Amino acid sequence: MIKKIATSLLWLSSLPLCMYTLFAYFLGYTIVWEHWFAGFVMMSIPIAQGACLILGLIWLYIRPSRAWVFLIIWFMGWPFTVRTFQLSPSHDKTEDDLSVLSYNVFSFQGLKPSDKESLFDYVEHFDADIKCFQEFSKTSNEEGKFAADLLKKEYPYRAINADPKGYYSTLVIYSKYPIINKKGKAFPGNSTSNGYLLADIIFKKDTVRIINLQLQSMGIRVGKVAQAFNKKDEALVKTEGRDILSSLKKGFIDHAREIKSIEKLIDESPYPVIVCGDFNEVPYGLAYGHVRDRLENAFERAGNGFGFTLNRSPKFVRIDNQFFSDKIKIQSFTTHSEIKYSDHYPISASYQLP
């Protein structure tokens, strides 16, 4: 009798999860609701999907006839699974491929004192045809040289989203190939780092539009919550938790506005497009979804593993991306998680233009 009651309660309590998961899938697939609340729901997709899988396995043991409900719902979210984890074959870069690096360099601050020089060295010597940097600042190394000076020999063409004569921490694009058109915009807010930078680049006989972006930071600092929890400071835990929710809400509102500018740049481009940068958003969010409706995601097509790009708490997220037009063929994509000098990992890809 007790077992029957417990089974019935588990079944009844599981049904709301099914409804919630289907609702989250609907928002993620259609992106019809741009309210900030939808951002919270879509962000929970992998958790809801994973819970359905676990319940499906439990019901396989308790009563297999009911397991199919949860397993089918889990499988309905398979396209979100491939946004999370990938296994792809690798290809060697050829002379005809266009290689692109994207890296948030954290204003060359580094996570420890020795990281600053390592950042300068990596930025200068990593081999790529085009380098897109976020939070690229006018900072000198120990020899008094600026990163811009170190790059200009191998990369004679540059676009920058700030006045190069003053101090800046902004978006830049460096290219070995001619830039025939460029423009940029800083998004409204307190940071000059957030915005977009566009460069139309002639690569051999083709022209490609490169869009480098950084969306508004969500300002999440999970470490502060963990510290408060370890100190058993309940009031501080609640305060930090509310701050995180408030930051997420503001971030979702900002992203909904900012991504409209990116959509327009993509839709109006006369050339194939590559978008790269710091989205400050997980792969189930509104901004990611809007760009994905127009372009292919490099990690989803050629990545491996989880591809997490954040080198601080919470580390298990992928917020840096490269997207490309369907006319372009991707050859390889790499998340350089061994490069730990910044609070982001660099990502690189190689492409064949049409």
Side-chain angles (χ1 to χ4, degrees):
M1 182 67 178
I2 295 177
K3 182 179 178 181
K4 186 176 181 180
I5 293 174
T7 302
S8 298
L9 289 175
L10 177 62
W11 173 252
L12 292 174
S13 62
S14 301
L15 294 179
L17 172 66
C18 295
M19 299 302 295
Y20 177 85
T21 305
L22 291 173
F23 177 60
Y25 286 170
F26 172 76
L27 293 179
Y29 284 132
T30 62
I31 322 180
V32 293
W33 194 26
E34 298 188 356
H35 193 271
W36 58 264
F37 181 74
F40 282 101
V41 175
M42 289 188 287
M43 189 172 65
S44 71
I45 285 175
I47 298 173
Q49 188 182 15
C52 284
L53 176 60
I54 292 171
L55 282 172
L57 296 176
I58 292 173
W59 280 108
L60 273 176
Y61 176 75
I62 298 175
R63 189 177 296 179
S65 61
R66 291 183 175 179
W68 65 269
V69 176
F70 302 95
L71 295 178
I72 286 177
I73 291 176
W74 169 77
F75 187 74
M76 287 172 64
W78 183 254
F80 295 110
T81 303
V82 299
R83 299 188 194 187
T84 306
F85 186 84
Q86 278 293 332
L87 290 173
S88 305
S90 59
H91 298 88
D92 294 330
K93 183 180 181 298
T94 68
E95 292 183 357
D96 294 328
D97 292 347
L98 175 69
S99 55
V100 179
L101 171 72
S102 178
Y103 192 13
N104 184 323
V105 296
F106 196 38
S107 297
F108 293 103
Q109 295 180 46
L111 298 181
K112 55 182 186 293
S114 61
D115 287 340
K116 183 175 181 179
E117 293 304 306
S118 299
L119 270 167
F120 272 88
D121 184 70
Y122 187 82
V123 163
E124 179 184 6
H125 293 111
F126 184 88
D127 185 22
D129 297 313
I130 297 171
K131 295 180 177 180
C132 298
F133 297 113
Q134 304 87 43
E135 298 185 23
F136 189 93
S137 66
K138 194 171 185 178
T139 305
S140 60
N141 62 9
E142 291 180 350
E143 298 176 355
K145 294 182 179 180
F146 295 104
D149 297 327
L150 298 174
L151 284 162
K152 65 183 180 182
K153 181 179 179 181
E154 293 294 328
Y155 297 86
Y157 307 100
R158 180 180 75 163
I160 182 169
N161 205 28
D163 181 1
K165 296 180 180 179
Y167 175 79
Y168 52 79
S169 178
T170 190
L171 300 161
V172 296
I173 298 174
Y174 281 91
S175 174
K176 293 181 179 180
Y177 298 91
I179 296 176
I180 59 172
N181 176 46
K182 54 188 175 183
K183 69 175 182 178
K185 176 183 178 181
F187 294 136
N190 298 325
S191 175
T192 58
S193 300
N194 302 319
Y196 70 78
L197 180 63
L198 173 154
D200 293 333
I201 298 173
I202 297 177
F203 177 69
K204 299 181 180 179
K205 295 182 180 179
D206 300 300
T207 304
V208 61
R209 171 162 291 183
I210 304 292
I211 301 173
N212 183 17
L213 64 82
Q214 181 169 354
L215 301 184
Q216 180 69 38
S217 173
M218 296 290 192
I220 301 174
R221 293 294 181 266
V222 177
K224 291 184 177 180
V225 178
Q227 289 174 7
F229 185 81
N230 290 334
K231 293 178 181 178
K232 298 181 180 180
D233 189 334
E234 185 176 342
L236 185 58
V237 170
K238 290 181 179 179
T239 300
E240 293 294 344
R242 284 194 295 267
D243 287 346
I244 287 178
L245 293 176
S246 178
S247 296
L248 284 170
K249 176 182 175 180
K250 182 179 184 303
F252 292 137
I253 294 171
D254 289 338
H255 287 189
R257 180 186 68 250
E258 293 166 351
I259 204 62
K260 293 184 184 300
S261 300
I262 309 303
E263 291 178 73
K264 186 176 181 181
L265 296 176
I266 296 170
D267 294 341
E268 295 179 353
S269 175
Y271 313 114
V273 176
I274 295 174
V275 175
C276 57
D278 179 0
F279 278 65
N280 274 310
E281 182 176 280
V282 293
Y284 326 102
L286 180 74
Y288 188 100
H290 274 292
V291 177
R292 191 178 184 272
D293 277 349
R294 292 163 169 79
L295 305 172
E296 305 281 349
N297 181 266
F299 169 81
E300 292 183 38
R301 292 292 173 263
N304 279 287
F306 291 100
F308 299 146
T309 64
L310 194 61
N311 187 27
R312 59 172 171 79
S313 296
K315 289 192 173 186
F316 49 89
V317 291
R318 179 169 65 87
I319 61 175
D320 299 86
N321 289 281
Q322 292 193 29
F323 289 86
F324 60 96
S325 298
D326 57 9
K327 294 180 181 179
I328 298 174
K329 181 180 179 181
I330 188 166
Q331 293 293 92
S332 65
F333 177 86
T334 304
T335 302
H336 299 274
S337 55
E338 75 281 4
I339 305 301
K340 303 180 184 294
Y341 313 135
S342 169
D343 62 346
H344 291 246
Y345 299 126
I347 56 174
S348 65
S350 60
Y351 304 94
Q352 282 186 354
L353 298 188

